[in-house]
Amino acid sequence: MNRYTTEFAFELRTCRWAERAWPPEEAASDDRAIIVARQLGTKRRRWDTIVLECDPEALRERAKFGLERLDGDLLHVVRNAPAEWTYYRDALPHPGYPWRYVREAVHRADGRDILETRKNGNRIEIRRKWVYPDWVDRIVAIENKPDLDASAARALGSQLEYDVAVGLADEVWVATRQTGDRVERALFEDLPVEAGILALEPETLAAEVAWYPRSLAVDEPGTRIVERPDGGRRDGSAARFEYANPEEKRETRLEIAERAYERGWRSFVDTMRPDCRHFELRARDGAHLEPHCAAKERCQTAAECSGGCGDFEPEPPVWRTKGWPIEGGPGKRCRQLLEARRRRQRPGL
């Protein structure tokens, strides 16, 4: 029986495949580094999987700023910090919001040791430590639908139309379970032609491209659909929309990339309960650690693995004594293992 029946389990396998084999049907290149993350996006749209195609040298330079993400306020400071000591209001462009928030960001950047500050009378002067690199080349968004039936395709179609219209990602894909048919069923669904379709066998991580995507115009204004006609198929009224300007898109793309850099796709443990005695990590392919519930005898979803689970049992206190196996109990060790494998994908850390 195929163990990857839930969308969550299939999503983890898609992330593992992308980490190993992206881009599809192309040879690996030293000119490109890959970072994979999951469940990220904006307040209007969340993607299942995100693949960042990065410049390797610039990615190593990004590591100087630490593993934690830089939010919009910190990015405004470190990207515009001068090479010589300058009063911060003279050095930074007006942010469009009160300067007190910029001053707070300056102090946070100094606390993280990614910016130099000093007092000159009652003024705060800043100087950059490093130039913030242009480390992200492309952003690829993937929606995971292991069983793409008609109802799932209808819901997914409107989401992909939104992605294509806004043009926030360079490419959008749909990953679905490989059927072995001569023509994959996903090709018969009403999906935007700009979206690529990937047929993936989650057990073996064999994949083939059923439909190649079109590159989206990320440097041009996007169209954000805010309201659609709801009068049925015969409703010919126009949709309401607004424009997303290129500068706004650039800022949003960089903030998404920063969050992906911090979280990665192995952060599923942050929304689960590894301190439960039934929680395990089981290895696949020698390196892919995936969650497993001994009580349910399968890979559990993040929604199932919570304090409200009827099978939840805390780790016995004896498991967390005498430094077992290194420091803390099995749950803490699970976190350490996933953290180490996430850092391994960040050159320079």
Side-chain angles (χ1 to χ4, degrees), residues 15 18-20 22 32-38 40 49-56 58-60 62-63 67 135-136 138-140 142 256-266 342-347 349:
C15 291
E19 197 171 68
R20 293 176 56 189
W22 188 269
R32 183 183 305 170
I34 301 299
I35 290 179
V36 182
R38 54 177 293 274
L40 284 177
T49 300
I50 289 180
V51 180
L52 303 182
E53 298 181 2
C54 312
D55 175 83
L59 187 58
R60 290 187 179 88
R62 165 60 187 83
L67 178 62
W135 58 281
V136 183
R138 299 174 78 244
I139 297 178
V140 178
I142 304 176
I256 291 172
E258 280 287 337
R259 290 165 61 201
Y261 184 90
E262 177 187 53
R263 285 180 55 181
W265 64 271
R266 294 177 175 86
R342 177 172 56 178
R343 293 179 68 92
R344 203 173 298 165
Q345 300 298 319
R346 312 295 188 267
L349 287 174

Side-chain angles (χ1 to χ4, degrees), residues 5 18 45 69 91 96-97 110 115 129 164 170 176-177 182 193 241 243 263 282-285 331 333 346:
T5 55
R45 181 75 171 96
R69 70 183 175 102
Y97 47 82
D110 181 46
L115 181 76
K129 297 192 70 171
V164 171
D170 294 87
T176 187
R177 190 190 306 277
R182 187 174 63 87
V193 296
F241 65 90
Y243 288 111
R263 285 180 55 181
R282 293 196 174 182
R284 292 278 296 170
D285 312 318
R333 183 56 180 155
R346 312 295 188 267

Side-chain angles (χ1 to χ4, degrees), residues 39-78:
Q39 293 299 319
L40 284 177
T42 67
K43 64 181 180 181
R44 296 182 177 89
R45 181 75 171 96
R46 179 182 292 271
W47 292 309
D48 292 338
T49 300
I50 289 180
V51 180
L52 303 182
E53 298 181 2
C54 312
D55 175 83
E57 290 303 319
L59 187 58
R60 290 187 179 88
E61 291 297 311
R62 165 60 187 83
K64 294 178 180 178
F65 294 85
L67 178 62
E68 295 181 7
R69 70 183 175 102
L70 305 180
D71 58 29
D73 292 341
L74 288 176
L75 285 170
H76 178 72
V77 171
V78 300

